[in-house]
Amino acid sequence: DADVTQTPRNRITKTGKRIMLECSQTKGHDRMYWYRQDPGLGLQLIYYSFDVKDINKGEISDGYSVSRQAQAKFSLSLESAIPNQTALYFCATSDPTSEDYNEQFFGPGTRLTVL
Amino acid sequence: GESVGLHLPTLSVQEGDNSIINCAYSNSASDYFIWYKQESGKGPQFIIDIRSNMDKRQGQRVTVLLNKTVKHLSLQIAATQPGDSAVYFCAEMDSSYKLIFGSGTRLLVRP
């Protein structure tokens, strides 16, 4: 089945370390997104990409960077992790050419803990 | 600024009853609204959507109502089942095709 996968699923790291979260999709979608979810709260958009050469900042991009290596891959990096970046991170995709072009499909999430 | 929020953080219902989850939004220019369901340990899953030119849309056991006059959105789940227990988010799409999520309502279904 076409899917959105994230690696790792869980990660514990220390303050100041560089961390990369990977997202891959087999849906063939052009648009990809990274979201952050804090406990009990909704999702906040970090970065999004509408195609391989397109990168855009979301609501909370400070402290994060992204790389769109290919249509199927969108990586999120924390250059120097800090404890308040402890959260759940979700990748999502959407297909602007489909009838339901606004629907986003989410990966299973990465739980990141920064000590 | 644009924002989407929810009235009730937790809703507890008896199995078999109908559930209603509410959401308020502030951007009257928003054209598209979505309800997502998030089960524990999983990513959000699309339930149903509605465009601003509609007042009501029905799916399988779910109905979304949109009241643009008071900027209110609701999700109705008929004959609530234990598998409906989850956190439900409303989301609003802004003019740049980005989703703005509300803070979520937890639905608990009592057996």
Side-chain angles (χ1 to χ4, degrees), chain B residues 21-40:
Chain B
I21 301 172
N22 296 303
C23 176
Y25 64 94
S26 61
N27 184 4
S28 58
S30 291
D31 182 51
Y32 181 70
F33 303 87
I34 312 175
W35 279 101
Y36 279 92
K37 173 185 180 182
Q38 186 176 23
E39 297 175 282
S40 181

Side-chain angles (χ1 to χ4, degrees), chain B residues 7-109:
Chain B
H7 296 303
L8 298 174
T10 304
L11 176 65
S12 180
V13 300
Q14 190 73 38
E15 181 178 354
D17 288 351
N18 297 333
S19 302
I20 300 176
I21 301 172
N22 296 303
C23 176
Y25 64 94
S26 61
N27 184 4
S28 58
S30 291
D31 182 51
Y32 181 70
F33 303 87
I34 312 175
W35 279 101
Y36 279 92
K37 173 185 180 182
Q38 186 176 23
E39 297 175 282
S40 181
K42 296 183 180 180
Q45 180 182 13
F46 174 92
I47 302 173
I48 192 168
D49 60 0
I50 188 168
R51 297 198 178 278
S52 60
N53 61 354
M54 302 171 68
D55 297 322
K56 179 179 180 179
R57 191 174 187 201
Q58 288 185 292
Q60 187 177 12
R61 281 201 309 118
V62 294
T63 300
V64 56
L65 299 177
L66 176 63
N67 185 331
K68 294 181 288 294
T69 301
V70 295
K71 291 185 281 189
H72 184 266
L73 193 69
S74 69
L75 176 70
Q76 300 179 359
I77 304 174
T80 312
Q81 302 170 359
D84 295 327
S85 292
V87 177
Y88 290 81
F89 295 95
C90 64
E92 169 185 17
M93 181 159 285
D94 72 7
S95 56
S96 302
Y97 303 102
K98 302 192 300 295
L99 286 178
I100 301 170
F101 283 81
S103 57
T105 293
R106 182 174 300 280
L107 177 64
L108 300 176
V109 182

Side-chain angles (χ1 to χ4, degrees), chain A residues 87-106:
Chain A
L88 266 174
Y89 290 85
F90 289 100
C91 175
T93 73
S94 67
D95 178 6
T97 65
S98 77
E99 183 177 323
D100 296 315
Y101 57 87
N102 286 322
E103 182 177 350
Q104 293 186 15
F105 298 85
F106 286 82

Side-chain angles (χ1 to χ4, degrees), chain A residues 3-110:
Chain A
D3 215 344
V4 182
T5 58
Q6 293 183 232
T7 56
R9 294 295 312 278
N10 289 281
R11 181 72 184 266
I12 300 174
T13 191
K14 295 182 178 180
T15 297
K17 293 292 186 181
R18 184 179 186 275
I19 297 297
M20 179 179 285
L21 309 183
E22 310 265 9
C23 177
S24 294
Q25 52 115 346
T26 56
K27 290 183 170 295
H29 291 175
D30 283 332
R31 296 183 177 181
M32 299 187 72
Y33 311 79
W34 273 105
Y35 291 90
R36 165 182 171 153
Q37 185 176 33
D38 292 289
L41 298 179
L43 282 71
Q44 294 176 281
L45 183 63
I46 306 172
Y47 272 96
Y48 62 104
S49 169
F50 281 178
D51 64 44
V52 175
K53 297 181 180 179
D54 178 72
I55 300 291
N56 303 281
K57 293 183 178 181
E59 306 167 70
I60 55 165
S61 59
D62 288 349
Y64 301 94
S65 62
V66 291
S67 174
R68 184 79 185 268
Q69 301 96 319
Q71 186 204 41
K73 296 185 182 295
F74 193 34
S75 302
L76 176 72
S77 293
L78 288 68
E79 297 300 326
S80 180
I82 56 177
N84 75 2
Q85 291 178 311
T86 293
L88 266 174
Y89 290 85
F90 289 100
C91 175
T93 73
S94 67
D95 178 6
T97 65
S98 77
E99 183 177 323
D100 296 315
Y101 57 87
N102 286 322
E103 182 177 350
Q104 293 186 15
F105 298 85
F106 286 82
T110 294

